[in-house]
Amino acid sequence: MLTLEGMVEDIIFRNENNLYTVATLNTQDGKATIVGYIPFINIGETIRAEGEWIYHPSYGEQLEISNVSLVVPSTLNGIEKYLSSGLIPHIGPKTAKRIVEKFGLDSLDIIQYNPERLKEIDGIGDKKLKKIVEAFEEQGDLRNIMVFLQQYGITANYGMRIYKKYGKDTINIIKENPYRLSEDIFGIGFKTADKIAQNMGISLLSPYRIEGGIRFIINKYAGNGHSYVPKEELIQSTSELLGVENTLIEESIRDLAVKGVIHILNIEEDILVYYTPFHIAENNVSRKVVELSRVELKNFEIDIDKAIQTIEGKDGINFAKKQREAIKESIENGMVVITGGPGTGKTTTINAIIQIFEDQGLTVNLAAPTGRAAKRMTETTGKEAKTIHRLLEYSYMEEEMAFGLDEDNPLETDLLIIDEASMIDILLMNSLLKAIVPGTRLILVGDVDQLPSVGAGNVLEDIIKSGVVKVVKLDEIFRQAEESMIVVNAHRINKGEFPFLNEKGKDFYFIRENNPNGIVNTILDLCKERLPNYYGVDPLRDIQVLTPMKKGDVGINALNKHLQNILNPKAYGKVEKTIGDELYRVGDKVMQIKNNYTTEWEIIKDGTVYEKGEGVFNGDFGFIMDIDDDNRIMKILFDDEKEVEYNFNQLDELKLSYATTVHKSQGSEFPVVVMPIYWGPPMLLTRNLLYTAITRAKKLVVLVGEERYLRTMIANNRITKRYSSLDYKIRNILTIF
């Protein structure tokens, strides 16, 4: 075993995912290259590396390290380089030089043990001193923590998140209960936490482990849209996960209920286990739905029929019977649901309702669950629509999201219209209804036949099923819409009928390919050549590949790599960066895959900041503008105007999105949708998934694959049951009123 000691002169390569590092070490005997997995390393630091010499055919002799430790610099030059390396913010090269000139070899001891003396240096006052001391302490804490985490296989990216969450107490918290990581840190699952716990020698029968397993199962169900888990299913799933007796699991369920983490509800003969916030949200939503729908409204002094006729004459339209009904019910009821498929006149109906209310001098607000849906609502109504989060004036402090509008500070409006209501989960619906006072009219607009919300709950369908709220289903396809095979086929598919394919001059096509390679190659050709050349569409901005699945030959993981290679290939001068398994390249199309309420964005026009804001949301599409390897920053442009900077350790929030899942496309519209039709799990090859996919397209749908799987999807009307009790609770609340 050989030991080298020296100053880190250069970091040639570093994989941020596994921390494999190639660096140059300046020793007293000359320069040496070291390679290996190094948990913490910075230019300017002095380290001691232990290892064996190896010979690389391309790069020559290297020290393959097995152990590395930090050495406090012992020379004046070393101390100065260490302090001026940028490792400690607020100490630049000039300040570092002054400190070393003043305190010599005692400089680091002064900073650590007698920092007040730093005020003897010109330019260091109380404020700067405090920042230097905090940064110095943080470096020491962070280094110790990163070394501790590395031994359990936790990467630097996750290490930084863990440190940000727990701070100085990181090591103690993890030693006590490593299962907290799966609850608190995005990207660390139960299995990773369990592996860490086993490496630390924590018992398989530890209460922390069993409670962590129960939480994991409940969260897994919530991730699949369920508000609760039947108790027996929870016990069985947890037992399979942990390999422990049911009695221990039952005991932990009771303990979690006592702590208030979960809520156990008996409905008839069923025992339901809720994550407590979901239970509270369902209760609040059910009560508010009844209040809004049963409230006595102020008289609306208007001849509705005459108002409808006036709009018909002015706009040159003729409302269908159901449209007229929807308009009338929206005036006469406190809460109304308007549902219908494409081409049934939802937008025309909404615009008429808006006009009638505004003609009466009443205020109208519009909102939708996503930024894209809100933008589309703005375009179709000519009136500003906000995301629900923005409408409620969200803020994010100390890792907690709060809304400025709630029961104590309600929304001041006469009418609120929410579009794409099928996407609203139970937690967001709870926050929304808190801000609405009885007497404010609420209209939920959506297509109940589309996929339900990504988050927990089945809100729109449950409200409809409750029978408490007035529901109007628009079912007449307008003549203009009948010209579109997208619209016609969407309705045919929704009714279980096979679509019309490949009619000349139309907008719905099926290309037959019998194997995955043929499907992939056809999709690549369509995106790169055929569709741009024939229709004049932009392959990056206008075409969206949608697929039911993530894995497999026609899943998003494989398709994104293929599409990246042909639509944004490697080129001289085009910067790229590999983070984990993902290769990012300037010009790539990406998607935000989690809500981040604190991320700052800027709109820059003519070199000047025009607008600033916060928040990038799950499902937002953008393009990589720049990758700055030196500063470890990637710049993304969202919505063709919002510039956002991501640190490299945030990049697990982004995913290539040349292809995306149908679920992730909800609330979005694209000029062209291309979709592979091939074998997959039955739970994914469903009618409502196919229906949702094709209704995302505005101008053209191209399906590629085998007709038998298209027939399979249309025939598979099995909608996976969501565990939700909202409809039951609404009806139950009604009995009290």
Side-chain angles (χ1 to χ4, degrees), residues 324-344:
R324 288 172 171 270
E325 182 186 345
I327 296 168
K328 289 180 179 180
E329 297 294 353
S330 298
I331 293 170
E332 295 173 352
N333 292 274
M335 187 171 179
V336 173
V337 173
I338 300 173
T339 183
T344 56

Side-chain angles (χ1 to χ4, degrees), residues 375-423:
K375 188 176 181 181
R376 193 171 70 250
M377 197 180 187
T378 299
E379 291 166 354
T380 56
T381 63
K383 184 177 173 66
E384 184 190 14
K386 300 177 179 178
T387 63
I388 295 174
H389 286 86
R390 191 173 157 218
L391 176 79
L392 299 179
E393 299 177 4
Y394 76 89
S395 60
Y396 208 79
M397 298 178 65
E398 297 181 357
E399 301 190 7
E400 292 284 333
M401 187 178 65
F403 291 108
L405 300 185
D406 54 22
E407 54 266 79
D408 298 321
N409 184 30
L411 177 69
E412 293 182 5
T413 189
D414 296 300
L415 171 66
L416 174 63
I417 303 175
I418 305 291
D419 200 11
E420 296 285 358
S422 63
M423 297 180 65

Side-chain angles (χ1 to χ4, degrees), residues 43 105 202 214 259 270 276 329 416 438 461 464 483 554 560 624-625 704 711:
I43 294 173
L105 296 175
I202 291 177
I214 293 167
K259 294 174 184 175
D270 298 321
T276 298
E329 297 294 353
L416 174 63
E461 187 173 337
I464 294 171
E483 296 297 313
V554 297
N560 271 317
I624 299 177
M625 300 172 63
V704 184
R711 293 186 183 277

